[in-house]
Amino acid sequence: MMSAPVLAALALLVVGTSFLSGVFGMAGGLILLGVLLLLMDVAPAMILFGVTQLGANGWRAVLWRKRVVWRLIGGYAIGSLATFALLKAVAFLPDKAMVYIGLGLLPIVAEMLPASWRPDITRPFMPVVCGAFIMAMQLMAGGAGSVLDLFFQRSGLDRREIVATKAVTQVLTHVCRIVYFGSFVDIGSGLLPLWIYAGAIAMALIGTTWAASTLTRMSEAAFRMWSRRIILAISASFLVRGFWLLYAG
């Protein structure tokens, strides 16, 4: 069981990272997962992370429901659920070093892709491809928010449509994450008390609500510039942590 100071620090972290994700549609989750992996094993960390992000993304989807591009959701769901079923059958559980390195490498690799290679989620069949690929990366490498963003950057959607639509896709992703990693822990001893999950959701709702007005005031140029800078900075720190774990192990 975590001490009271650790729980208080985590509560503030959830509020802050939910605010960050509420503004940029990503980044906050990467930070939260990185910290949770410092405190617990992969499966329990993924479950708490999934519950928290489910609350944040679900509430974000409600706040921006009028901006959701619903025609993209069905294909994304088909690709996601197909990949989930495949990985669930394999029952693959990554270690911490792999998760950190995956979290660090994915945004950098995505940034290095030539502009002509970057996909557009509004093109035919691309939502299915996006859902399959993102689900695989979420379950094997821990997160893929920056890669998901690639599918939206060339889409012509505005910042509010991007944040709203990504939120709905991530609701599905985090439900699958909870179910997937929940199968690796003992229900009696591997899970945290229910009040911790409830508190995490409450803190996520607070941070997400505060972010809405900030996103409204932010320009398109500032949105894209700060998204890129924040993601690359977080990625570099995760790569250092991941390779250190490999070396220390």
Side-chain angles (χ1 to χ4, degrees):
M1 180 64 181
M2 296 181 223
S3 65
V6 171
L7 288 173
L10 275 178
L12 293 176
L13 179 68
V14 171
V15 173
T17 54
S18 297
F19 174 85
L20 192 60
S21 288
V23 174
F24 296 105
M26 57 180 179
L30 288 175
I31 297 173
L32 179 60
L33 180 55
V35 174
L36 291 178
L37 288 170
L38 291 174
L39 300 174
M40 57 187 76
D41 292 335
V42 170
M46 288 291 191
I47 295 171
L48 180 55
F49 173 69
V51 170
T52 304
Q53 293 298 292
L54 179 60
N57 282 280
W59 184 234
R60 194 178 310 139
V62 171
L63 291 175
W64 295 103
R65 60 190 177 278
K66 294 182 180 179
R67 295 285 184 168
V68 176
V69 184
W70 290 103
R71 61 185 171 82
L72 303 177
I73 302 302
Y76 184 94
I78 291 171
S80 294
L81 293 175
T83 301
F84 171 78
L86 176 62
L87 291 177
K88 188 70 172 63
V90 175
F92 172 76
L93 180 64
D95 61 21
K96 283 191 179 184
M98 179 177 178
V99 173
Y100 274 116
I101 292 172
L103 289 173
L105 276 179
L106 284 174
I108 295 174
V109 171
E111 184 68 23
M112 293 173 63
L113 282 176
S116 60
W117 290 15
R118 297 182 181 184
D120 179 349
I121 196 169
T122 61
R123 292 172 55 192
F125 304 109
M126 198 55 67
V128 178
V129 174
C130 177
F133 187 72
I134 296 303
M135 181 62 72
M137 293 299 97
Q138 289 279 12
L139 298 183
M140 293 192 298
S146 58
V147 180
L148 177 61
D149 193 54
L150 278 182
F151 285 85
F152 285 85
Q153 285 178 354
R154 295 174 59 84
S155 65
L157 304 177
D158 69 29
R159 66 190 185 283
R160 285 164 288 194
E161 290 172 329
I162 289 173
V163 169
T165 307
K166 285 169 64 178
V168 175
T169 66
Q170 293 309 282
V171 167
L172 173 61
T173 297
H174 290 300
V175 169
C176 291
R177 182 196 299 271
I178 294 166
V179 173
Y180 184 82
F181 287 100
S183 65
F184 292 103
V185 301
D186 179 73
I187 298 299
S189 59
L191 297 178
L192 297 170
L194 291 179
W195 64 267
I196 292 182
Y197 297 108
I201 292 174
M203 295 300 101
L205 298 186
I206 292 172
T208 301
T209 302
W210 285 348
S213 59
T214 301
L215 178 61
T216 300
R217 295 193 301 269
M218 182 174 289
S219 68
E220 291 291 337
F223 173 80
R224 297 182 188 280
M225 178 188 71
W226 283 107
S227 294
R228 179 174 177 271
R229 290 180 177 179
I230 292 170
I231 285 294
L232 292 179
I234 296 170
S235 298
S237 68
F238 284 168
L239 280 176
V240 171
R241 175 65 177 168
F243 285 115
W244 183 85
L245 286 174
L246 282 180
Y247 176 78

